[in-house]
Amino acid sequence: MLPYYSFPFVVQNTGNFNQPATYNPYMPPVVNPVSPYQNSNFMPYAPQTMPQYNIGPMVENFETENTNDINYPNVQDRQPDPILSDNPASPSITLFKELSGYPNYGNPSGNADILYTGNRGTWTFQIPTFLLVTGNLRAQIVIRGVLDDHQNVPVSNYSARITVNGTVVHNGRLQLEHGRPVGQRFTNWRSLTFNVPSLRRSNRVVIENTSRTGPDDWIAFDWMELRLVPR
């Protein structure tokens, strides 16, 4: 079957449809054009024969999606189901104190406070009055500390006496290590946590270095924080 041209064309000899048209250099030659409707095999367009497609929603609703129903390929062969919990959140308030007496060793601030053997230091936490109105709070003091980087001095020789609001909360060896890496920002700081026996509007923390070490040996403190938690 010859191609069917949808654009109009001009036939110079209108007396005989089967004769070739007069040559026109500006138009392609058309020889014996045949209408598609003269072809017995031509099937006219029928809308009712078009395939039907089921188009679903284009956007997923993640707020109502149940994450437990998500299926991943071969998940049974890969790992067991997760073990999760969603316990109620408990409120807490933290008063944070950055310590910056010496420009080295702290991480990430780069600063830290230092107590040499026999030194004594004092820090104060002021609590806003409105937080104490309920009288239903308990408190903990958290001290981030580390020993000096003098690897030749036994760790067992270091100790401290820590007092909060006049009450001794620790007296003896500290669960701390020598700072690493030597002479740089230490990466092995540890947190010492103690209960505050009597919470006040102005809370006083006193640390005394009672170590059996030389005068140039020391203990460093990176930061402190007072944590307030409802009873």
Side-chain angles (χ1 to χ4, degrees):
M1 181 178 69
L2 294 178
Y4 170 69
Y5 293 90
S6 60
F7 54 83
F9 56 90
V10 179
V11 179
Q12 298 297 329
N13 185 0
T14 59
N16 188 344
F17 185 80
N18 293 323
Q19 290 183 358
T22 304
Y23 171 74
N24 187 336
Y26 298 100
M27 295 188 66
V30 179
V31 180
N32 295 333
V34 177
S35 172
Y37 294 99
Q38 297 176 356
N39 185 353
S40 60
N41 296 324
F42 177 76
M43 179 63 68
Y45 168 70
Q48 64 275 14
T49 62
M50 292 294 291
Q52 299 297 319
Y53 297 96
N54 183 15
I55 301 178
M58 301 301 292
V59 179
E60 297 181 9
N61 189 344
F62 292 102
E63 294 183 357
T64 60
E65 181 182 53
N66 187 348
T67 55
N68 294 327
D69 294 337
I70 299 177
N71 294 321
Y72 297 96
N74 301 325
V75 68
Q76 293 81 4
D77 300 334
R78 201 168 62 240
Q79 62 189 40
D81 291 336
I83 301 174
L84 308 176
S85 63
D86 191 15
N87 299 319
S90 57
S92 64
I93 299 173
T94 299
L95 303 180
F96 184 84
K97 184 182 291 290
E98 180 66 44
L99 305 180
S100 56
Y102 188 78
N104 202 1
Y105 306 120
N107 197 342
S109 67
N111 306 312
D113 284 5
I114 289 179
L115 291 179
Y116 290 96
T117 303
N119 284 170
R120 184 172 181 266
T122 302
W123 298 265
T124 304
F125 286 86
Q126 300 287 341
I127 299 180
T129 304
F130 72 91
L131 293 177
L132 298 176
V133 171
T134 60
N136 197 27
L137 297 173
R138 59 184 178 89
Q140 288 182 323
I141 187 75
V142 182
I143 304 171
R144 191 78 161 170
V146 74
L147 305 180
D148 56 33
D149 51 3
H150 305 165
Q151 305 292 334
N152 59 321
V153 181
V155 171
S156 58
N157 288 0
Y158 293 82
S159 61
R161 180 184 296 110
I162 302 175
T163 304
V164 180
N165 293 338
T167 301
V168 177
V169 296
H170 178 82
N171 189 17
R173 180 180 171 180
L174 298 168
Q175 297 299 317
L176 302 176
E177 300 177 343
H178 282 299
R180 300 187 303 269
V182 175
Q184 304 178 40
R185 293 189 181 186
F186 296 150
T187 59
N188 59 328
W189 296 86
R190 289 185 178 179
S191 296
L192 307 174
T193 303
F194 309 100
N195 292 324
V196 177
S198 57
L199 187 62
R200 306 172 183 175
R201 189 175 187 278
S202 179
N203 298 272
R204 192 164 177 257
V205 180
V206 180
I207 303 178
E208 182 181 355
N209 186 342
T210 60
S211 303
R212 295 178 290 106
T213 53
D216 294 331
D217 299 319
W218 42 269
I219 303 172
F221 304 99
D222 195 11
W223 51 258
M224 296 183 186
E225 64 181 24
L226 185 66
R227 297 176 181 174
L228 307 177
V229 181
R231 293 184 184 277

